[in-house]
Amino acid sequence: MNDYQNIFQRKITALQQSNNYRYFLNVNKSARHFPFFYFDQQGETKRAINFCSNDYLGMSVDEEVISKLSFVLHQSGTGSGGTRNISGTTNHHQSLEQTIAAWHQKESALLFGGAYLANLTSLQTIGRHIKELIFISDERNHASIIEGIRNSGNSKVIFRHNDIQHLEELLQSLPADKPKMIVFESVYSMNGSIAPVKEIIRLAKKYNALTYIDEVHAVGLYGETGAGICEQENLLQEIDIINGTLAKAVGVIGGYIAASQTIIDFIRSYGSGFIFTTSLPPANCAAAEKSINLIQVQQQHRARMHGTVNYLRRLLEAEAIHFISNDSHITPVLIADAAKCKIIADKLLEQHGVYVQPVNYPTVPVGEECLRIIVTARHTREQVAQLVKNLKQVLLEESTHHMQKQPA
């Protein structure tokens, strides 16, 4: 007979032995003190500063957003109580969808429980109903995109990351009469690279392909109103489907797609991940809409965040700490060793009160393990300077320890 528990345990042990087992830090998040938080260390409450939060603009702790959520929470309760077609569509859902659609200059938008579910549902639904559709996907695409394409059962081809020449070679090799969709991200969350969106759209038009862009790590941070890279490049009306999140820069929870009225109605009508899921709580929708309204007019928050990111990188360069250079707000410090990556992160937290999450396989390929540093609009330059000082110290300690372990 199968010993199921033993099968599962062997899989867990394999992760632990390869240093890819995931450990969760129990964080007591503080709205008053963000980006500081509190955690328990051997029975003692300690304070640390968070340098890995995706709450890029600190909107989750914004007083106006919190007040809006609280007000609607007392009006509408904690949950919607149903799917969108069974009492789960409220005025707050509809208003938020209208705001999102206008933000991305699209006819319509559709809310999901998260951006992962939005990608999964949208891609698999489109694929299943256009059987001959071929997906052309960037090799660095997020797991939700990979799963959505896989679950569709459609053919797919993978192009090298942000490689326009390779993308065109693949498009040329596909039958001209076959329907196609190019799927990519605007900002890639691990290496921080930004897609050549304009060139991808040009090729899509040339080869009659749909375009699907994941703007999850760009929403709120780029463009005049924070609508993302497509807005920054003046391409909002050129892209077919935009995926975004309400859980990062917007600071609440949920995901969405924005597109033409026809595409949105199609996903709304056929997407099982939308149809059979209880809708977001109305209060969350109201808070997200309030946050978006603030983001659209508060350009100073984006400017402050990007300015502090540039300051961080100048300090890293001055200390000869290697990081992956890119044009986004994400700063990966390459360690290239899973065990060492965790040791450095643990020391930063335990000895210096600095929280930077180690990023290992399968989130990144083996050999690309890194510390992914995120600076928010609420970090000060003094805090960034302290981070770099602490990181330099820990890296020197690890380098010395490694040299001492080497055989003579």
Side-chain angles (χ1 to χ4, degrees):
M1 293 180 64
N2 286 316
D3 183 350
Y4 296 109
Q5 298 303 313
N6 190 42
I7 293 171
F8 299 141
Q9 186 58 55
R10 286 201 306 270
K11 293 290 185 181
I12 293 170
T13 301
L15 281 177
Q16 292 169 333
Q17 291 175 343
S18 65
N19 295 302
N20 291 316
Y21 184 74
R22 294 173 186 262
Y23 296 90
F24 299 154
L25 179 67
N26 189 5
V27 170
N28 182 3
K29 187 184 176 193
S30 170
R32 286 183 59 200
H33 300 143
F34 181 84
F36 287 100
F37 66 90
Y38 300 89
F39 70 104
D40 182 80
Q41 188 178 65
Q42 297 178 339
E44 183 181 354
T45 299
K46 295 287 188 74
R47 188 174 87 151
I49 187 165
N50 193 340
F51 277 102
C52 56
S53 172
N54 291 329
D55 189 5
Y56 295 127
L57 300 176
M59 298 307 291
S60 77
V61 298
D62 182 273
E63 285 296 334
E64 290 189 65
V65 175
I66 293 171
S67 295
K68 186 67 175 182
L69 187 143
S70 179
F71 179 76
V72 178
L73 184 67
H74 284 91
Q75 281 189 325
S76 301
T78 58
S80 72
T83 62
R84 289 293 294 272
N85 65 310
I86 306 178
S87 79
T89 296
T90 70
N91 57 317
H92 297 292
H93 293 84
Q94 291 185 321
S95 182
L96 176 56
E97 286 176 338
Q98 290 166 2
T99 294
I100 290 169
W103 197 23
H104 291 290
Q105 297 179 24
K106 294 298 180 190
E107 293 177 345
S108 192
L110 194 65
L111 288 170
F112 291 82
Y116 189 110
L117 183 59
N119 274 337
L120 185 70
T121 300
S122 301
L123 292 169
Q124 75 176 23
T125 302
I126 290 169
R128 287 175 180 176
H129 289 270
I130 308 178
K131 293 295 186 181
E132 292 188 327
L133 180 72
I134 301 170
F135 288 104
I136 305 113
S137 179
D138 188 288
E139 66 177 345
R140 294 276 181 156
N141 275 341
H142 190 262
S144 58
I145 293 174
I146 295 168
E147 286 297 310
I149 293 173
R150 179 185 292 132
N151 289 354
S152 73
N154 290 58
S155 298
K156 66 176 179 181
V157 291
I158 310 297
F159 65 95
R160 291 188 292 271
H161 180 52
N162 283 349
D163 189 330
I164 290 297
Q165 182 178 343
H166 189 222
L167 174 58
E168 181 155 27
E169 289 171 1
L170 291 174
L171 287 165
Q172 287 174 337
S173 71
L174 298 174
D177 60 342
K178 291 281 187 182
K180 309 167 191 68
M181 176 183 279
I182 303 172
V183 188
F184 62 106
E185 301 178 41
S186 59
V187 176
Y188 287 82
S189 61
M190 290 303 122
N191 64 8
S193 62
I194 296 179
V197 182
K198 187 174 184 178
E199 288 301 300
I200 292 174
I201 291 173
R202 179 184 63 81
L203 290 180
K205 291 179 182 293
K206 182 177 178 180
Y207 293 94
N208 192 27
L210 285 167
T211 47
Y212 186 109
I213 189 169
D214 182 316
E215 287 254 47
V216 159
H217 285 274
V219 164
L221 305 183
Y222 300 88
E224 184 178 350
T225 69
I229 295 295
C230 288
E231 182 185 39
Q232 179 174 280
E233 301 296 322
N234 196 28
L235 297 168
L236 282 171
Q237 295 182 6
E238 304 299 318
I239 204 89
D240 292 305
I241 304 172
I242 296 173
N243 168 277
T245 184
L246 304 171
K248 292 182 169 58
V250 177
V252 190
I253 193 69
Y256 61 85
I257 59 168
S260 68
Q261 177 64 46
T262 301
I263 290 175
I264 294 300
D265 199 18
F266 166 74
I267 300 297
R268 184 191 72 86
S269 301
Y270 287 97
S272 60
F274 172 80
I275 296 169
F276 299 105
T277 301
T278 298
S279 67
L280 289 169
N284 287 81
C285 294
E289 184 172 13
K290 181 64 177 179
S291 180
I292 292 169
N293 289 337
L294 293 172
I295 287 169
Q296 289 176 323
V297 298
Q298 292 179 344
Q299 292 93 343
Q300 70 272 20
H301 293 339
R302 287 190 288 283
R304 182 165 61 250
M305 187 207 72
H306 289 296
T308 311
V309 169
N310 291 335
Y311 178 69
L312 164 68
R313 293 178 179 183
R314 289 199 299 271
L315 294 184
L316 291 173
E317 287 173 347
E319 294 293 346
I321 298 174
H322 175 65
F323 63 92
I324 300 172
S325 181
N326 58 60
D327 293 324
S328 77
H329 59 284
I330 295 166
T331 307
V333 174
L334 188 64
I335 305 299
D337 180 281
K340 185 178 178 182
C341 200
K342 186 175 189 312
I343 289 169
I344 293 169
D346 287 347
K347 283 190 173 183
L348 282 170
L349 179 63
E350 294 164 7
Q351 298 176 12
H352 302 285
V354 171
Y355 183 38
V356 180
Q357 182 66 26
V359 180
N360 296 335
Y361 177 85
T363 307
V364 295
V366 173
E368 294 186 20
E369 294 84 2
C370 66
L371 299 173
R372 178 177 173 270
I373 300 175
I374 297 297
V375 171
T376 74
R378 299 212 173 204
H379 285 93
T380 66
R381 296 199 171 197
E382 291 76 17
Q383 291 165 351
V384 169
Q386 190 63 43
L387 160 70
V388 174
K389 179 182 177 181
N390 296 150
L391 178 58
K392 179 71 171 181
Q393 181 180 336
V394 172
L395 289 173
L396 284 173
E397 289 172 0
E398 279 306 300
S399 178
T400 302
H401 179 68
H402 178 73
M403 289 177 66
Q404 290 173 346
K405 288 175 63 178
Q406 297 299 310

